[in-house]
Amino acid sequence: MNGPEIERLIQLLGRLPGLGPRSARRVALHLLKKREVLMQPLATALGDAARAIRACTVCGNLDTVDPCSICADPRRDAGLICVVEDVGDLWAMERGKIFQGRYHVLGGSLSALDGIGPDELNIAALVKRVAGGGVREVIMATNATVDGQTTAHYLAERLGELNVPLTRLAHGVPVGGELDWLDDGTLATALKARRAL
């Protein structure tokens, strides 16, 4: 039986995505064994992050400055807005270093089952940004799930009257993918989105 401090650590670690009870115990044990070189610096970094990181009032990204470093970067194209569901999606786009516009983080997707409607998401701020002028294109980069598709369609309706081109990320066969390994939905989407060579 572990002391209450260890059990609390295990329970908190178990709340992290990808960590079940057994993984949380292994992580806790590893942290406790490496207390000086890992656990204490991690605790300091967590405290520092909790104090310093905030949501950008323009796009919803997480950063230590407001507006965030992406919104404040004059080299970024303010006329292109890429709409993503969560900050993790923004980070994934940035990892590829292929998009040089700005972002808008919704904070999730519409979901009737989970009771998430338009008022629970950062949609009003997006409409205000686009209506303010200067936006040449809005790129919908919501996930290729039912909720992501529903969110993209809802946003298209809300933004449609503002006369700004709306585009959606392509879906279909991934680079390096083999047809035999793809699910039926991905194949169907790829076939519908085919284009001339």
Side-chain angles (χ1 to χ4, degrees):
M1 192 68 174
N2 296 321
E5 294 84 0
I6 295 174
E7 285 302 319
R8 182 167 182 261
L9 175 63
I10 293 168
Q11 287 176 355
L12 289 172
L13 289 170
R15 292 182 186 174
L16 295 172
L19 288 183
R22 291 177 64 186
S23 296
R25 286 193 182 285
R26 284 195 295 271
V27 170
L29 183 59
H30 184 73
L31 288 171
L32 290 167
K33 286 181 176 180
K34 307 275 186 180
R35 195 171 312 177
E36 287 78 27
V37 296
L38 187 58
M39 188 177 207
Q40 290 173 346
L42 178 61
T44 301
L46 287 170
D48 292 346
R51 283 185 294 279
I53 296 174
R54 67 197 96 191
C56 175
T57 55
V58 177
C59 73
N61 186 21
L62 296 176
D63 205 335
T64 56
V65 293
D66 186 18
C68 72
S69 56
I70 293 173
C71 288
D73 187 346
R75 296 170 298 183
R76 302 288 272 215
D77 187 346
L80 294 176
I81 296 179
C82 181
V83 179
V84 294
E85 290 181 22
D86 290 303
V87 174
D89 300 326
L90 184 155
W91 291 354
M93 294 286 290
E94 282 297 287
R95 193 172 52 240
K97 296 183 182 354
I98 54 172
F99 180 67
Q100 290 304 308
R102 307 265 172 98
Y103 293 93
H104 191 86
V105 180
L106 295 173
S109 59
L110 296 173
S111 174
L113 291 175
D114 296 325
I116 300 172
D119 294 337
E120 283 75 41
L121 300 177
N122 193 16
I123 293 174
L126 173 63
V127 173
K128 185 177 177 182
R129 279 179 79 181
V130 176
V135 177
R136 295 186 323 279
E137 180 183 356
V138 176
I139 304 164
M140 301 293 175
T142 55
N143 293 323
T145 61
V146 171
D147 291 342
Q149 300 281 34
T150 301
T151 304
H153 288 295
Y154 177 81
L155 291 174
E157 287 178 14
R158 287 284 305 269
L159 298 172
E161 59 198 40
L162 298 176
N163 294 324
V164 173
L166 305 174
T167 58
R168 180 109 168 92
L169 288 184
H171 297 120
V173 179
V175 174
E178 297 180 24
L179 296 181
D180 190 39
W181 290 91
L182 299 177
D183 63 275
D184 295 343
T186 301
L187 279 172
T189 303
L191 188 60
K192 287 178 189 172
R194 68 189 182 277
R195 57 186 178 185
L197 283 173

